[in-house]
Amino acid sequence: MADYVPVLKAVVPAAGLGTRFLPATKATPKEMLPIVDKPAIQYVVEEAVDAGLSDVLMITGRNKRSIEDHFDRAYELEEALSAKGDAERLAAVRESADLAIMHYVRQGEPRGLGHAVYCARQHVGEEPFAVLLGDDMIDARDELLKRMIQVRDERGGSVVALMEVPPDQVSAYGCAAIEETGQDDVVRITDLVEKPAVDEAPSNWIIIGRYVCDPAIFEVLEKTPPGRGGEIQLTDALLTLANTPAEQGGGVWGVKFRGRRYDTGNKLEYLRTVVQFASEREDLSAEFMTWLREFVADHDGVGTTEGA
Ligand code: UTP
């Protein structure tokens, strides 16, 4: 492996169109949709900071100004809260502004996740970096990113996060062909297949929205043609790196994650996430759970599992 370079920067792509959440996302980025009272993307930035990455580059697009405002000071609001003596809300408003050193770059056109990551090239330079998808949340109690960075430090190359799903769900995701490494939670990635048919899936380990990339990914992305849906796919570039020698920044490892993950870009999971977070909030849970139990009892048998 070449000289050791630490992972210090996080890239958070948040420039997608969010079509699954229209019309809510017509003028609001889906990453700003609240999980109770905090936008999903703040959890994602908190996760990066917890893993030691306080330099955060956000890839934004149209309608993304609210993201920038959220991570900035809000003087009028702060003054008003201060005048009222509302210290608790004042602290909440300031928290997101003081969280990390935020940088922004705009992805002119949403040409895919791979293209969004490519937009980080100038800021990142020749260092390994983490990518955290802005609509994918990992429970703060379950460690993932720190472990991925550790694997990068030990083995070089790039690292993806994997989660096991029931075989019949594999075809909705990017799926990995894996080879054991002798380490319980680390595998070598030998192939990546986007949305495979159930009987063609190489495993039931799917890729979730956390990556640690070798800077060699930028050269690969530059040459990666649009793939599925006419978009430049990050998984296509990672597959190229999986087949590239280690001396050239190649090699892709997978970290098996067995904790809690919330895909807030998906309506059903978004609703589940809000309910779960509300049920765990000290200030809300007693009243909310009482209501929820009654609601469920009253609606017993209503709805089916289809149509999510
Ligand atoms: P998604 O696959 O969820 O796409 O992107 P999307 O366009 O945002 O949402 P839908 O499918 O239309 O509802 C995964 C992540 O990559 C970012 C998104 O913002 C999201 O965080 N992304 C995607 C970009 O930053 N740029 C792109 O061109 C595409």
Side-chain angles (χ1 to χ4, degrees):
M1 191 168 102
D3 289 344
Y4 167 70
V5 183
V7 180
L8 298 171
K9 291 177 182 160
V11 172
V12 181
L17 291 177
T19 52
R20 283 170 293 170
F21 258 103
L22 283 168
T25 46
K26 185 178 173 191
T28 305
K30 72 172 166 183
E31 293 81 3
M32 285 297 290
L33 295 177
I35 308 300
V36 185
D37 52 10
K38 202 198 273 191
I41 200 159
Q42 186 174 336
Y43 286 99
V44 173
V45 173
E46 285 171 357
E47 183 192 335
V49 173
D50 277 350
L53 315 177
S54 53
D55 178 314
V56 178
L57 175 70
M58 199 76 78
I59 314 294
T60 64
R62 56 183 270 287
N63 290 335
K64 300 292 177 167
R65 179 138 296 155
S66 60
I67 297 182
E68 298 182 22
D69 287 343
H70 183 72
F71 291 102
D72 200 354
R73 300 302 292 265
Y75 288 106
E76 275 177 27
L77 194 54
E78 288 178 32
E79 257 172 49
L81 292 168
S82 200
K84 277 195 202 162
D86 192 341
E88 199 180 318
R89 290 199 175 93
L90 183 61
V93 162
R94 284 191 177 149
E95 198 187 356
S96 53
D98 296 336
L99 206 51
I101 300 160
M102 304 296 298
H103 305 270
Y104 299 90
V105 60
R106 282 179 89 107
Q107 181 190 17
E109 249 181 286
R111 292 171 55 200
L113 179 57
H115 180 255
V117 170
Y118 186 74
C119 294
R121 186 175 197 170
Q122 204 181 358
H123 179 80
V124 167
E126 286 302 309
E127 297 169 24
F129 62 102
V131 176
L132 298 89
L133 299 196
D135 59 348
D136 208 340
M137 285 165 48
I138 299 295
D139 197 296
R141 294 162 290 191
D142 301 326
E143 200 165 279
L144 172 60
L145 194 56
K146 266 192 209 153
R147 177 69 184 134
M148 293 173 74
I149 292 172
Q150 200 177 28
V151 170
R152 153 73 202 190
D153 289 347
E154 287 166 9
R155 296 175 178 265
S158 299
V159 186
V160 298
L162 301 174
M163 258 189 117
E164 199 169 23
V165 295
D168 62 330
Q169 286 178 26
V170 169
S171 45
Y173 302 94
C175 177
I178 56 179
E179 214 175 73
E180 297 305 322
T181 60
Q183 241 175 328
D184 192 33
D185 63 334
V186 184
V187 289
R188 175 189 277 282
I189 304 291
T190 57
D191 197 7
L192 294 169
V193 192
E194 202 44 59
K195 303 193 167 64
V198 176
D199 50 355
E200 282 165 20
S203 76
N204 45 348
W205 288 92
I206 59 147
I207 302 181
I208 60 169
R210 297 293 178 271
Y211 311 80
V212 175
C213 298
D214 187 276
I217 196 136
F218 292 124
E219 247 173 77
V220 176
L221 281 169
E222 196 173 16
K223 295 184 201 119
T224 302
R228 273 188 102 262
E231 296 192 335
I232 297 172
Q233 300 287 348
L234 186 63
T235 33
D236 288 347
L238 286 164
L239 181 56
T240 304
L241 283 182
N243 296 308
T244 301
E247 311 79 71
Q248 292 163 34
V252 180
W253 310 99
V255 166
K256 291 178 172 177
F257 179 62
R258 294 188 171 92
R260 289 155 284 192
R261 172 220 181 203
Y262 313 97
D263 175 8
T264 66
N266 164 310
K267 270 186 270 195
L268 186 61
E269 278 217 36
Y270 173 78
L271 292 171
R272 281 191 198 130
T273 308
V274 173
V275 170
Q276 187 173 326
F277 276 58
S279 74
E280 292 177 359
R281 280 271 298 255
E282 253 177 47
D283 57 337
L284 296 171
S285 81
E287 253 183 277
F288 179 66
M289 291 308 286
T290 305
W291 171 82
L292 189 60
R293 270 186 215 102
E294 283 169 13
F295 180 83
V296 171
D298 287 352
H299 290 75
D300 197 19
V302 176
T304 68
T305 52
E306 284 163 28

